[in-house]
Amino acid sequence: VVADRWNRRRTLIGASLAQAALLLPLLAVDDPGDLWLVYAVTVVQAVLATVNDPVRQALLPSVVDPAELTAAAGQLGVGANLARLVGGALGGVLLETSGLAGVVLGDAVTFGVAAALLVGRTALGAAPAPHPSAPGPGQRRAAREWLDGLAVIREEPRLRGTLLLTALMALAQGMFVVLFVVFVLRRLGGGGTEVGLLRGVQAVGGIAGGLAIGWLARRVSPQWMVAGGLAAYAIGD
């Protein structure tokens, strides 16, 4: 709803700046009694990410021809995974050398740079036209559009299946991320540097997939690519 109602470029700038600013409370974390603050910041960052990601993806069709959409999405994936590859290792090094404060400030800087790169790009994400069938106050229209979106998903079997698949993938990834850290720290005897490095190395597959997807999209259906990717992920785990 946000991606369809607001200027997408300004939304991305605002979300990035908010993510930078709302990391700073972590600088006050000093002992286990401050764990609640870590949880609070994590929740806020996750909420902002759910704004940032769909808005960024919704920008693609406005700047890329339909025939190039899959390849462009793949290139976005390559960029994200390159950042993850470098950022994971860098985060681990910063944690060992500068502590949590170094990680927080470094992370905040990256969000600030992202916002700065979007400033002045006025051609991106012009505000969409108002919803033609939505009378009443803005909040009511937004809520109505959200409910309309749920109705579309409910009525379209392919969307229901995709939603279920996405939920299962998120559940699996959520378990993996948590247990991976425990595994490296407790079973492998690693520290912050090793966790960061190994989390970053996971991005190698994403980079390879992003580079290959433009070529594959012309030869293999999206359904088979998703199924094959999930099967490979399961076997790898």
Side-chain angles (χ1 to χ4, degrees), residues 9 16 20-21 29 58 87 91-92 138 153 177 216 219 234:
R9 180 182 62 88
S16 296
V29 173
I153 293 172
V177 168
L216 283 171
R219 295 164 174 81

Side-chain angles (χ1 to χ4, degrees), residues 37-228:
L37 190 55
V38 177
Y39 286 134
V41 170
T42 301
V43 169
V44 171
Q45 292 293 329
V47 170
L48 288 169
T50 64
V51 174
N52 195 315
D53 293 347
V55 173
R56 188 175 65 252
Q57 292 164 11
L59 268 177
L60 263 190
S62 67
V63 295
V64 174
D65 291 333
E68 299 173 340
L69 196 55
T70 301
Q75 293 304 310
L76 273 185
V78 170
N81 281 290
L82 279 171
R84 182 177 175 184
L85 183 63
V86 175
L90 181 60
V93 171
L94 284 173
L95 184 61
E96 293 295 326
T97 59
S98 306
L100 182 60
V103 177
V104 170
L105 294 175
D107 203 11
V109 166
T110 64
F111 284 121
V113 170
L117 290 172
L118 286 164
V119 171
R121 303 290 180 179
T122 53
L124 293 180
H131 198 292
S133 58
Q139 290 90 346
R140 184 175 180 182
R141 289 201 301 270
R144 182 70 257 170
E145 288 177 6
W146 184 69
L147 292 172
D148 288 346
L150 292 180
V152 171
I153 293 172
R154 185 176 65 249
E155 294 165 5
E156 174 52 69
R158 290 172 298 182
L159 289 177
R160 291 203 307 270
T162 302
L163 184 64
L164 176 61
L165 176 64
T166 304
L168 289 171
M169 289 167 59
L171 178 64
Q173 180 68 3
M175 290 189 288
F176 183 89
V177 168
V178 172
L179 295 176
F180 178 84
V181 174
V182 175
F183 177 69
V184 174
L185 294 178
R186 293 187 180 176
R187 295 301 179 95
L188 302 184
T193 301
E194 287 76 21
V195 170
L197 179 63
L198 291 172
R199 286 281 290 142
V201 167
Q202 286 183 281
V204 172
I207 294 169
L211 292 172
I213 197 168
W215 178 83
L216 283 171
R218 296 191 292 271
R219 295 164 174 81
V220 183
S221 73
Q223 292 92 328
W224 280 107
M225 282 196 288
V226 171

